[in-house]
Amino acid sequence: MLRAMYDFQAPYEGTLSFDENDLFVTLKRTNKDHEWVHVIKLNGENGYAPANYLTVATCSKIEEIKHIDDILKRIACKRSPGRDQASVIENLKESRRKLEKELEHLAAKQMYELTSLVRHNTRCTFQQAQGAILETLKYLQENVLHIPDGIERILNTDTDQISMEIRRGGLDSHHLDRVVGLIMEFASDQETDVPEETWNEMLDLTTHADRALLIAALERHDCALLLQLVHRLQAETSWRKRRPILAILFHALQLLPTFVNVAINSVLPSELARDIQAIGTAKNINEDRIYWSIRVLTVTLCCQEPLSFAQQNELGENLIALLVDVLETESVSIATSDEKDQECLTITSAAMHLILALHRQFSLVSSENNPVLLCLANRSMCDSLIEKILLLYNREDDPIKQYVGHQNDDNQTDSVSSLMRGLFSGAETAKLFYTADLEVLLDVILRRLTDYGPGDKRRSDALQLYHAILRVRSPVYKKSDFAKCLKVIREESDKLGSPSTAMQQDHHKVMQIYHEFPDFLEMS
C-alpha cells in the first residue's frame, strides 16, 4: 500500500485528488509514464497520482487485505459503475490473492521455524514438536489473544515463581496424583504387583513432568514414595519392571539432596552393590541391568553423608575389583568414545563414574585405607582406568559434579583430582602410570600452573598433585619449566601484596617442595 505525503489537487481528468496521509492500493495497469501511479483510494475512487507525492505505507499484509475488502464492498454498494470498474475489481482481487499467498508462505515458514526451535531445545521428534506447537497455538487463540497484552504477560511470567496452587490445577498434577496413588495403593497390598505400565507412566512423569510437582510428591509423608520405590526394587525380580524403577530412582534422586540422604540411609546402596556383583559374576551378563544399577548407585553415593560401617564392607574391594574388570574389558579406546551425552553413557564410562563416587565417598570416612586405592594397589596394570582419568583430568571434566549439583563446594577438590592425588599417594598405585602417561599428566599440570592465577582452586590442586608425584616418582620431565612456575608462585605474594588464604597455601606448598627437593630452589 501507499500513503500520501502531501495534499494534491487533481489538475485534469483521470488524476486523483487526495489529502496528506490518505491510503491507496496500487492497481495493475499499463502506464509508460513512471512519474504517475494508478491507485485507488479507500473510498473506491481510482485515478493517477504523482509518484513523488507517495511513499510506502507502514501497513501489515493483514491490514492491506482488510483495506482491499473494504474497497470492494464500497464499489459493490455504488449504484452507478465507475470508470473501468470490472478491470479495477479484477486487479484488486488479484492483489488480494497475491497477499493471501504471501501470508500462507509466511505462516508455513513460521510454523517450520517454531517446530525446529522446539525440536532443537527438547528431545521431541519433529512430528511431536509440530503437534506441541499446534496445541499451543490453539490454546493461545482460545484463551490468550483476546486479553489485552496477553502474550506479553505470559512471556514476562517468572516460571520459577508459579504458585503450587496453579501447578496443582494442571494436567501433570492430576496425572501424577493418579499414578502415585496407584503405586502407594499396591504398596499396601504385598501380594499384588504394580503393573509394568504403571512403572512406565511414572518414569515418563519423572523425566518430563514439572520438577516442583515431582519434588512435592516425593517429599510427601517423609519421602514415603521414595522409600516405596526402594522397597519395590528390592522385592522385584522381573527385569522388565525393575528397569523402570531404577530409571525412576536415577532421575528422582537428582531432584533434591534430601532424597539422596534418604536413599543412602536405606537398603538401596547394599541392594545395588549385591545386584552389581551378582550380575557381574554371572555367566551371561545382563549389561543393561548392571548399567542401571551402577548409575543409580553412583547418584546415591553423591552426598556429604558417609556410608555406615556395614555399607562400607558391602561396597568395598570386591565391588571395586569388579568395576575395574568392567573397565579393563573395554574394547574401544577412550579416545574414540563420546561422553558428551550424559544420558547415554557406555557401561565402562558408568563404571568409571562409580569408581570416582566410591573414592569420594570413602574419603569422607578416612583419608587412609581407601578401598579404591587398596584394590588398585593389588593390580599390575589398569590401562583403561588410567586412560580415562587422564582424559577427564585434561578436559577438567568432573562427571560426579552433575550428580552433586548445588551441594558441590567450589573450594572442594573435584573427584578426578582427588582420585589422581590418591593414586600418587603411594608407590603401589603410582606404578600404574607408564612413563608416557606420566609425561602427559605432567604437561597438563604444567599448563594449569601456568594458565591459572593466584587463588584459583585448579592451580592449587595441580600444585598439590605435582608435589605428590615428586614424592613417589621423582620425575625429571620439564623440571626446569616447573622450577620457573614454582618461583613465580613463591614471589607473587610479594608482588601483589595482601595475599589471600589460597595464595598463602600455594606459597606454603612451594616452600614445602623446596624443603624436600632443594634442587628446585637451586634451579630457580
Side-chain angles (χ1 to χ4, degrees):
M1 291 194 71
L2 300 174
R3 179 179 63 81
M5 294 188 290
Y6 322 101
D7 294 344
F8 179 75
Q9 190 64 38
Y12 40 80
E13 187 181 355
T15 57
L16 195 63
S17 297
F18 52 81
D19 297 326
E20 183 182 350
N21 291 325
D22 277 354
L23 294 174
F24 313 92
V25 174
T26 306
L27 294 172
K28 290 184 178 179
R29 184 164 176 169
T30 304
N31 176 24
K32 294 180 181 180
D33 188 354
H34 296 295
E35 294 181 359
W36 293 85
V37 183
H38 192 208
V39 295
I40 185 168
K41 294 172 67 174
L42 299 188
N43 61 8
E45 296 178 15
N46 76 88
Y48 286 94
N52 58 351
Y53 274 59
L54 306 176
T55 187
V56 176
T58 53
C59 180
S60 69
K61 287 180 173 60
I62 294 291
E63 290 172 325
E64 194 167 347
I65 288 173
K66 184 178 180 302
H67 288 320
I68 291 174
D69 288 342
D70 290 342
I71 292 169
L72 288 170
K73 285 179 185 177
R74 287 192 174 91
I75 291 174
C77 291
K78 286 185 178 180
R79 294 181 180 178
S80 56
R83 181 165 52 86
D84 299 330
Q85 181 170 302
S87 175
V88 167
I89 290 173
E90 183 55 37
N91 284 337
L92 287 170
K93 287 182 177 179
E94 186 180 343
S95 295
R96 193 186 191 285
R97 284 193 293 271
K98 183 181 177 183
L99 288 166
E100 285 283 3
K101 194 169 182 179
E102 288 176 2
L103 284 173
E104 286 175 10
H105 176 78
L106 178 63
K109 182 174 179 287
Q110 290 172 332
M111 182 64 187
Y112 189 84
E113 288 175 347
L114 275 171
T115 305
S116 298
L117 277 170
V118 171
R119 192 214 62 75
H120 181 74
N121 289 288
T122 66
R123 304 193 71 181
C124 296
T125 64
F126 191 84
Q127 287 72 23
Q128 289 170 336
Q130 210 165 44
I133 288 293
L134 285 171
E135 290 300 317
T136 302
L137 292 175
K138 286 177 188 176
Y139 180 87
L140 292 173
Q141 187 178 46
E142 293 172 7
N143 301 287
V144 178
L145 295 179
H146 64 279
I147 301 173
D149 302 323
I151 296 290
E152 186 178 351
R153 291 171 188 271
I154 288 177
L155 291 173
N156 290 332
T157 298
D158 185 348
T159 54
D160 292 332
Q161 299 301 318
I162 295 175
S163 68
M164 285 304 294
E165 180 184 359
I166 293 173
R167 295 177 193 270
R168 290 195 178 102
L171 292 173
D172 274 353
S173 180
H174 298 310
H175 192 185
L176 187 61
D177 286 346
R178 181 182 65 79
V179 175
V180 170
L182 282 172
I183 292 173
M184 298 309 290
E185 182 183 340
F186 284 119
S188 60
D189 184 358
Q190 299 295 326
E191 297 182 0
T192 306
D193 288 337
V194 179
E196 185 181 341
E197 56 269 23
T198 302
W199 289 125
N200 288 327
E201 276 189 86
M202 187 64 199
L203 175 58
D204 182 67
L205 286 166
T206 308
T207 53
H208 294 91
D210 180 3
R211 177 189 174 95
L213 290 173
L214 290 166
I215 290 173
L218 289 162
E219 280 185 317
R220 205 172 298 147
H221 306 305
D222 296 325
C223 300
L225 174 60
L226 188 63
L227 292 171
Q228 181 57 32
L229 289 169
V230 173
H231 173 71
R232 282 289 171 176
L233 180 71
Q234 189 180 22
E236 190 56 68
T237 56
S238 166
W239 172 236
R240 290 178 62 183
K241 294 180 183 178
R242 191 178 176 91
R243 188 188 190 283
I245 300 173
L246 282 167
I248 291 165
L249 283 167
F250 175 74
H251 293 288
L253 291 177
Q254 296 179 70
L255 292 172
L256 213 62
T258 304
F259 300 154
V260 183
N261 291 336
V262 170
I264 203 168
N265 284 302
S266 70
V267 298
L268 184 61
S270 301
E271 167 65 20
L272 293 170
R274 285 193 294 268
D275 195 48
I276 292 168
Q277 292 180 82
I279 304 163
T281 54
K283 188 173 182 180
N284 297 314
I285 296 177
N286 184 335
E287 290 192 0
D288 195 31
R289 181 165 178 169
I290 197 171
Y291 168 84
W292 277 107
S293 293
I294 285 173
R295 296 209 74 188
V296 177
L297 183 54
T298 302
V299 179
T300 307
L301 296 176
C302 290
C303 67
Q304 297 300 327
E305 192 163 338
L307 293 165
S308 67
F309 181 75
Q311 288 172 329
Q312 290 175 45
N313 289 329
E314 289 178 303
L315 275 69
E317 290 187 53
N318 291 337
L319 174 63
I320 296 158
L322 189 147
L323 293 171
V324 176
D325 287 340
V326 169
L327 272 174
E328 296 308 312
T329 56
E330 182 177 38
S331 58
V332 180
S333 171
I334 182 65
T336 65
S337 66
D338 182 8
E339 297 184 23
K340 290 181 180 177
D341 184 2
Q342 296 295 348
E343 292 303 311
C344 192
L345 294 175
T346 62
I347 189 170
T348 49
S349 296
M352 184 70 219
H353 292 190
L354 181 51
I355 290 171
L356 289 167
L358 282 164
H359 180 265
R360 177 183 178 276
Q361 178 60 233
F362 284 119
S363 296
L364 295 175
V365 180
S366 171
S367 58
E368 299 179 358
N369 299 322
N370 190 306
V372 173
L373 301 177
L374 292 174
C375 174
L376 294 175
N378 292 324
R379 301 184 74 99
S380 59
M381 56 183 287
C382 288
D383 292 354
S384 290
L385 184 143
I386 298 303
E387 258 190 304
K388 281 184 177 290
I389 196 168
L390 278 173
L391 184 65
L392 291 169
Y393 189 74
N394 182 45
R395 287 179 176 175
E396 299 185 12
D397 180 13
D398 181 8
I400 298 304
K401 192 173 183 179
Q402 64 175 313
Y403 307 125
V404 177
H406 59 269
Q407 299 179 77
N408 194 51
D409 183 357
D410 290 336
N411 292 318
Q412 188 177 36
T413 301
D414 65 271
S415 66
V416 176
S417 296
S418 177
L419 178 55
M420 194 70 88
R421 279 211 331 243
L423 289 169
F424 285 98
S425 62
E428 296 83 359
T429 46
K431 73 178 188 298
L432 296 172
F433 287 80
Y434 300 134
T435 302
D437 296 329
L438 185 59
E439 288 179 356
V440 169
L441 177 57
L442 289 169
D443 278 329
V444 178
I445 293 172
L446 184 61
R447 188 180 71 232
R448 291 194 183 187
L449 293 178
T450 305
D451 291 352
Y452 300 126
D456 194 305
K457 179 66 175 154
R458 291 167 295 186
R459 191 185 77 169
S460 298
D461 287 340
L463 187 60
Q464 291 184 53
L465 178 56
Y466 185 58
H467 185 208
I469 293 171
L470 287 172
R471 284 177 162 177
V472 292
R473 294 289 292 264
S474 301
V476 295
Y477 181 72
K478 293 191 177 180
K479 194 167 185 178
S480 60
D481 293 328
F482 278 101
K484 291 175 185 176
C485 287
L486 296 177
K487 181 182 178 183
V488 170
I489 295 172
R490 184 193 67 182
E491 295 176 349
E492 67 188 7
S493 57
D494 295 332
K495 293 178 180 178
L496 298 175
S498 302
S500 64
T501 303
M503 286 172 62
Q504 290 175 348
Q505 289 172 347
D506 287 354
H507 183 271
H508 176 73
K509 180 59 67 176
V510 170
M511 299 310 294
Q512 195 175 354
I513 292 172
Y514 282 164
H515 177 72
E516 294 179 27
F517 308 95
D519 51 330
F520 276 105
L521 188 58
E522 294 168 8
M523 293 172 70
S524 62

